[in-house]
Every structure is written in structure tokens, then in C-alpha cells.
Amino acid sequence: MTRTVYIETYGCQMNVSDSELMYGTLQASGYTPVEGPEGADVVLVNTCAIRENAEQRVIGRLGELRRDLKPGAVLGVTGCMAQRLGPRLLATDTRVQLVVGPDAYRMLPQLIEGARGGDRVTATDFDLEEHYEDVVARRFEGVKAWIPVQRGCDYRCTYCIVPTTRGPERSRKLAEVVRETQEVVAQGLTEVILLGQTVNSYHDGTHDFADLLRAVGAVDGIRRVRYTSPHPNDFSDRVIAAMAETPTVCAHVHLPMQSGSTSMLKRMLRRYTREEYLDCVARLRAAMPGLGLTTDIIVGFPGETEEEFADTLSLVREVRFDDAFTFKFSLREGTPATRMPPEWTIPDAVIDARYDALLGTVRGISRERNLGRLGERMEVLVEKEARKGELLQCRSRDFKTVLVQGPTEWIGRYLTVELTGTTGATFTGTLVPDRHPLPMAG
Ligand code: 5AD
Ligand code: SF4
């Protein structure tokens, strides 16, 4: 009888990709993936540590899972929270038997064997050679593939736990990334998303990110190449040129800004000024007119003055992002921010008010930009059924979500649609019939 495994994933796309690798590793050892924890022989929770509330959710979830597990099932915690807390997790939750960090997933089959015999273990050593090259990822997403190209991070932004949980930066060999791209194309997928913590600093010893974009973009059968997340400082002219000159690379950049104030960026150790960020945006837009641009912004970082926050709002207005993920600062144990003077702490009420003001500004701009695009025609890839109604969720090359009416057989296909409506954030669109061929927006 084969044993079953269920992995529940929290956090970023790197975790989604890691879960696919874990499923792949376990499948090669005879495990069958299942869709829920009930009745599974092994349940793994792949966790995120980026903010306090991400960890609280996992702690709560572990309590629920404890009730759902069948007797004798092995419960493990993997990912960033496992790496950060290590043996402390075994002490806080007595039902947890395995705590496995991002570089130790190869050991999962043996560790699970030990746990079945009653062991409770932590495996959190970093392994700078580990790229899981021989593991065949078990992908669940039907139309696009996440491909990790770089693990870890060598920046030291003072708020961020990632360098602690994912260790030093290392890149996969370009040839390996190309090989994996060819494999996913052979399986019928046409879009890849290259993943790395600061993905455009990719360097495999011979090739940089510009080489990687050109090589992956030239794979036969690939139609869309995306990547996330870049760091503004690693946008060399070579990388921007490679992006602009490779037709398969989508004209969208998610460019984390974090703050619009130079003094704040300095305390965050982001290594760029407001002007340098703006310059990066200008260079990208000059090379790719019509570029979709999204960002990440943190409010309430220690010492944030009214003036610094006003600078963030004004930079958002100046750049006019298509969209932004906004976050309330969360103090993470072990980050340099913990060594800042306690009187720099921003009161919750102030953070809440600034967050609301920022979100209002971001949404207002998004809405204005999107309203201005009604009537436009563009190519979309049908990704999946939408959550509501009998609609399909599609994605434009510049990363807009477009809902279109149609049968599920269209999933995986490319359509030309006209944007007919917007909620402010997402669009509705109608199919432009093939007998009226139109130039595609790109
Ligand atoms: N508190 C709040 N937001 C954070 N991020 C990273 N660390 C923290 C933190 N300690 C945000 C950044 C990053 C995104 C993935 O999460 O904006 O780009
Ligand atoms: Fe964290 Fe900064 Fe590295 Fe991004 S670049 S993972 S924010 S330390």
C-alpha cells in the first residue's frame, strides 16, 4: 500500500516551488500526493516567517491539524519558520516531529522514516550546493511553471528575516534552468516564472541574468517568461536590454520600493536613494513603453517620520504603479531592526492610519490607470476558473487580471480580448473573434 503525503503551503512563490520539489522528492520515494490532511500518512506545513502574523497563522493551523490527523501520521514543519525556530518548534508543539529547513528537503524520506519510529528531529543546515537538480518537481499549476534560479539572499535589508531563513545567495547553472524550461514546455506549459530573492543578481559564475533571460526566452515553444523579485540595484543596462530585446519576456516588473524616503531607505539598508529608484523606473520604462509596474511598500518601519511617510506617498504618486502590495512593519527577531532604539517604534494606531492612507492612494491610482485602458485589445493567457461565476481568469502580458466568459477547455489557451469593464483592480473582457486579426499588445 502506498503512503500518502499532504503539503500545505504558506508564503511566497519560492515556497510554492519548494513544495513542488518536496512532493517530487517524496513521490520518487513511493509517496502519493493527496489534497487534504485527513487520512494522510504525512502532513507537512511549508511555512513563511516574513511577518509575525504569517507565523501566528501557522501556529493556529498546527493546532487544527493536530485534531484532523489520523493516528500515527507524521506531522512536520518546513520552510522559513522551521529554519528560524528550529528545535524551539519541537518544544512548542509536541505533536510536531519534523522541523526541516529549505536546504534539507532531500532528506525528507529518511527523516520521515525516523519519525515513524518515534524520532523528533530538526534539520536546518544550509547547503550552498543544493539546487535539487535531480528532483522532478510535482507541479500542480496547469499552465505556468515556477522555476527557481537562485536561492538565498546576500542583501541585508534591516527589516528582513530572509537572509537568516534562506542563507547566502547562490545561482543554478544556466544550462540547468534551460533544461527545466524545455521539460515544462514538453509537458505543454508555455509560461515560466524565474524565481529568486533578488533574481536579477543571478550569476552562475559564467552567465548573468541578461544571459539567462535570453537563453530561457529562446527555448522553443515558450511564449511567456516572467521573473520575481528583482532588486533595483541589479538592473544593469545588460539586463534591461535583454528584457526589452527578448520578445517572450513579458513587459512587467515587480520592483520592490519599500519606501519613498532616502533617509528611511538608508535605515532599511536598501542601498538606493529615492532618486536612484526613480532612475531605475525611468530606464525600464524608456526601454519598454507600456511596461506593467508593481511594487512592495512597508509602512511603520522604526523612526518613520510624517515627512518620510509623505515621501512614500509622493513617490507612489510620481511612479503611478499599476498595483502595490502594502505591508505594516513587523519586527522580526534576529533582524538588524531589533537593535534600533525602542523610542523609534511607531505606535500601532499611527501605522494603521498610514497604512490606510497608502492603500487608498495605491488603489486610487490603480483604478485611474485601469479605467484609462478600457477598450484596449490585448493577448491574454487563460489560467484557471475564476472564483466567482462562470468566468475564466486570464492574465495579460503586463500582468493584468482579466475575467472572460468561456468554457474551461480554454484553460491554457491564448485569446485576444477587449477590456470592457473594471472593478478598479481587475478587468472583465470579451473575446475578439479570430476573423478580425488584430495586433497584439505586448
Ligand atoms: N515587515 C513587514 N513587511 C516586510 N517585508 C519583508 N520583511 C518585512 C517585515 N519585517 C515585505 C517587503 C518585501 C515583501 C516580500 O515583504 O515589502 O518586499
Ligand atoms: Fe529581504 Fe532585502 Fe534580501 Fe529582499 S533583498 S529578501 S527584502 S534582505
Side-chain angles (χ1 to χ4, degrees):
M1 209 182 71
T2 69
R3 293 204 218 130
T4 55
V5 55
Y6 167 67
I7 306 178
E8 192 160 292
T9 309
Y10 292 85
C12 65
Q13 284 161 330
M14 190 62 89
N15 260 14
V16 174
S17 162
D18 278 353
S19 290
E20 293 179 342
L21 287 170
M22 285 192 261
Y23 271 125
T25 303
L26 289 169
Q27 229 174 348
S29 296
Y31 286 85
T32 305
V34 287
E35 282 183 15
E38 305 80 13
D41 296 300
V42 178
V43 173
L44 300 175
V45 184
N46 194 12
T47 61
C48 170
I50 199 104
R51 282 169 290 275
E52 170 84 32
N53 57 9
E55 292 201 359
Q56 288 308 332
R57 265 177 76 200
V58 167
I59 299 281
R61 183 64 183 134
L62 286 172
E64 285 171 16
L65 283 171
R66 172 191 274 269
R67 292 193 297 272
D68 293 345
L69 289 185
K70 77 171 185 190
V74 171
L75 177 62
V77 180
T78 63
C80 288
M81 197 177 159
Q83 186 71 37
R84 189 180 91 72
L85 292 170
R88 281 192 277 170
L89 259 176
L90 293 179
T92 14
D93 192 321
T94 52
R95 184 63 181 79
V96 172
Q97 283 183 277
L98 296 175
V99 175
V100 186
D103 285 350
Y105 298 152
R106 181 179 295 281
M107 287 151 64
L108 275 170
Q110 299 92 291
L111 294 172
I112 291 168
E113 241 7 86
R116 288 170 62 79
D119 290 353
R120 300 186 73 219
V121 290
T122 305
T124 51
D125 285 344
F126 287 131
D127 177 352
L128 300 192
E129 302 299 313
E130 185 58 280
H131 284 292
Y132 302 104
E133 290 304 354
D134 51 327
V135 178
V136 181
R138 168 72 166 85
R139 299 179 199 279
F140 288 90
E141 182 76 44
V143 304
K144 56 187 178 184
W146 284 283
I147 300 190
V149 304
Q150 173 200 58
R151 299 179 75 85
C153 180
D154 278 349
Y155 281 87
R156 288 288 176 273
C157 304
T158 51
Y159 50 81
C160 188
I161 193 71
V162 168
T164 312
T165 61
R166 288 192 169 267
E169 175 184 328
R170 59 231 116 116
S171 295
R172 276 175 89 178
K173 291 275 178 244
L174 175 140
E176 296 289 352
V177 180
V178 168
R179 177 189 53 80
E180 191 171 353
T181 307
Q182 287 163 338
E183 282 168 13
V184 303
V185 170
Q187 288 158 17
L189 309 190
T190 54
E191 174 172 328
V192 292
I193 306 114
L194 309 178
L195 297 181
Q197 233 63 55
T198 56
V199 69
N200 53 340
S201 71
Y202 171 94
H203 205 291
D204 73 353
T206 313
H207 301 290
D208 68 358
F209 193 61
D211 296 329
L212 186 73
L213 281 180
R214 291 185 194 273
V216 170
V219 167
D220 239 6
I222 201 76
R223 282 188 67 165
R224 288 184 170 188
V225 178
R226 301 184 188 278
Y227 58 88
T228 200
S229 286
H231 190 287
N233 288 12
D234 295 304
F235 268 117
S236 61
D237 289 341
R238 268 176 65 79
V239 168
I240 295 179
M243 192 182 173
E245 291 165 15
T246 309
T248 48
V249 177
C250 292
H252 166 241
V253 176
H254 181 72
L255 189 67
M257 150 188 155
Q258 314 300 1
S259 164
S261 150
T262 295
S263 49
M264 170 66 93
L265 288 165
K266 194 161 184 186
R267 290 206 296 290
M268 290 176 159
L269 196 61
R270 284 295 287 176
R271 306 166 202 245
Y272 53 82
T273 62
R274 173 191 177 94
E275 289 69 32
E276 284 162 345
Y277 183 88
L278 274 170
D279 180 61
C280 182
V281 169
R283 287 162 60 230
L284 287 165
R285 282 184 167 158
M288 288 160 285
L291 179 78
L293 200 63
T294 54
T295 197
D296 291 340
I297 306 166
I298 299 174
V299 292
F301 185 78
E304 185 181 61
T305 62
E306 280 301 331
E307 208 175 19
E308 286 172 333
F309 177 64
D311 282 346
T312 292
L313 287 183
S314 80
L315 189 54
V316 165
R317 287 197 199 98
E318 197 165 337
V319 175
R320 292 179 63 76
F321 294 101
D322 287 278
D323 204 356
F325 293 108
T326 52
F327 304 105
K328 295 177 187 176
F329 171 67
S330 168
L331 186 65
R332 308 308 289 131
E333 181 192 46
T335 59
T338 56
R339 295 193 292 275
M340 292 180 174
E343 59 274 20
W344 285 10
T345 305
I346 309 297
D348 284 349
V350 175
I351 297 192
D352 291 350
R354 288 180 183 168
Y355 182 85
D356 291 347
L358 176 63
L359 196 60
T361 305
V362 163
R363 287 196 176 149
I365 292 167
S366 236
R367 194 186 170 74
E368 264 174 41
R369 287 189 71 110
N370 289 347
L371 279 169
R373 296 188 61 177
L374 294 181
E376 207 174 293
R377 291 175 175 193
M378 59 176 62
E379 178 208 79
V380 295
L381 168 60
V382 185
E383 291 190 337
K384 55 185 170 195
E385 282 182 89
R387 263 178 257 150
K388 281 185 297 193
E390 289 175 359
L391 294 169
L392 300 171
Q393 185 177 310
C394 312
R395 191 71 79 169
S396 69
R397 292 185 68 86
D398 65 353
F399 211 59
K400 297 291 182 188
T401 303
V402 186
L403 302 178
V404 175
Q405 204 136 30
T408 51
E409 293 78 67
W410 287 1
I411 293 171
R413 287 201 208 158
Y414 289 83
L415 310 173
T416 303
V417 297
E418 179 168 321
L419 301 181
T420 49
T422 176
T423 59
T426 61
F427 289 96
T428 47
T430 51
L431 194 64
V432 177
D434 282 345
R435 59 196 147 83
H436 304 298
L438 289 154
M440 285 192 289

